[in-house]
Amino acid sequence: MRKHKIVTTEDILLKLCQSVSGVLTSATASPVTYSAMVQKISKTSLKPDFGCFVLFDGGFSGLVVINFTAKAALELYTKYMRNMGMPEDELAVSHTSDEVGDVLGELMNQLVGDFTNKIRKELQTHITQNQPKMLALNKQVVLSVDTNLDRPQARRVTFSTENNHIFYLELAMDKTEFIQLEEFEIEDDCPDSIFEQTQQQMRNKSENSNKSASEHAASEADDLLDQLGL
């Protein structure tokens, strides 16, 4: 009798860790690694200096929280923007800047998107995510999952940046198992492709913005010439 493959909560957590590491490494062009050890925790919480969270629902429900120190948040933001070609003198210098929050929110959106894509392909189920939320914090905030979890489980994993700045990933979800009944092929997507798509979208947005500004300036110049009778 053939033994069926079983995917547990820890296997799902590993897929999430791989998405976080893969997307952030590609986005910042620097290694972002995670610990081989995972910690069981009783509840998830947002902690200083910068907390991000996103809820997901569908085949299973849960919550992803990432808590950054100020140094880790700034390092990821700075390297991401440099990789996007942003001049050094235009970069934010404080983790509380809106730009840092926007970038971390975009990165979290990318990595959770990569995770949900993995789940769809590898577990043959579908989950959706809400828009990531970011908060600059100076004290710990306990965050509970606003969804129906019969047997909630929570895990924490430590991540490190290239400069050895630490941040933490926390996952809360219902205890579940996926059992593979038949063999199937899995399409392999690279996080680089997600980053390249994001880069192209930002370039197009910048080009459209510059084009609109140029057209507006040209229109104002034409109006001035008309007024002068030239």
Side-chain angles (χ1 to χ4, degrees):
M1 182 176 178
R2 186 181 63 178
K3 184 178 180 181
H4 298 303
K5 178 183 177 181
I6 298 178
V7 178
T8 65
T9 302
E10 277 65 35
D11 296 317
I12 294 173
L13 174 62
L14 177 59
K15 297 180 191 302
L16 177 59
C17 289
Q18 291 169 344
S19 290
V20 174
S21 177
V23 169
L24 292 183
T25 294
S26 297
T28 62
S30 63
V32 175
T33 58
Y34 56 90
S35 170
M37 299 295 292
V38 57
Q39 179 183 3
K40 285 188 176 182
I41 56 178
S42 59
K43 56 189 175 183
T44 59
S45 60
L46 291 172
K47 298 185 179 73
D49 294 295
F50 207 101
C52 302
F53 68 95
V54 60
L55 287 161
F56 57 86
D57 199 6
F60 56 92
S61 300
L63 168 73
V64 177
V65 174
I66 302 183
N67 292 311
F68 297 96
T69 61
K71 291 181 178 179
L74 274 176
E75 180 185 348
L76 292 173
Y77 158 79
T78 301
K79 289 184 174 178
Y80 175 77
M81 297 306 287
R82 285 174 181 166
N83 199 27
M84 295 292 290
M86 180 68 70
E88 192 75 26
D89 57 357
E90 296 183 17
L91 297 178
V93 295
S94 172
H95 76 281
T96 57
S97 299
D98 290 340
E99 295 175 24
V100 177
D102 292 342
V103 165
L104 292 180
E106 172 58 32
L107 290 174
M108 189 157 189
N109 199 40
Q110 290 181 41
L111 65 88
V112 176
D114 185 72
F115 169 65
T116 57
N117 197 38
K118 277 189 173 72
I119 294 301
R120 178 178 61 82
K121 292 182 178 180
E122 299 180 22
L123 299 185
Q124 300 285 289
T125 190
H126 182 72
I127 59 175
T128 57
Q129 68 187 75
N130 71 344
Q131 187 66 26
K133 305 294 188 300
M134 296 71 62
L135 294 171
L137 303 165
N138 56 16
K139 63 176 64 175
Q140 180 170 328
V141 177
V142 175
L143 184 71
S144 60
V145 184
D146 186 20
T147 188
N148 295 322
L149 297 182
D150 296 327
R151 295 181 297 168
Q153 291 187 314
R155 303 285 187 267
R156 179 188 293 134
V157 180
T158 303
F159 282 74
S160 300
T161 66
E162 184 179 29
N163 296 338
N164 295 318
H165 294 138
I166 303 298
F167 64 94
Y168 299 93
L169 166 74
E170 296 183 3
L171 169 68
M173 60 174 288
D174 215 352
K175 183 177 181 180
T176 187
E177 290 184 350
F178 286 84
I179 303 171
Q180 181 176 337
L181 300 179
E182 296 182 350
E183 296 293 334
F184 59 89
E185 293 185 2
I186 300 175
E187 298 178 11
D188 188 21
D189 282 346
C190 177
D192 287 340
S193 61
I194 298 176
F195 176 60
E196 288 171 2
Q197 291 174 7
T198 303
Q199 273 191 319
Q200 187 60 47
Q201 290 172 359
M202 292 187 70
R203 289 194 194 99
N204 293 339
K205 184 177 180 181
S206 177
E207 289 173 359
N208 291 336
S209 178
N210 293 336
K211 183 178 179 181
S212 297
S214 298
E215 291 175 349
H216 181 67
S219 177
E220 288 185 341
D222 290 340
D223 290 343
L224 179 59
L225 290 174
D226 289 340
Q227 293 174 11
L228 295 174
L230 300 177

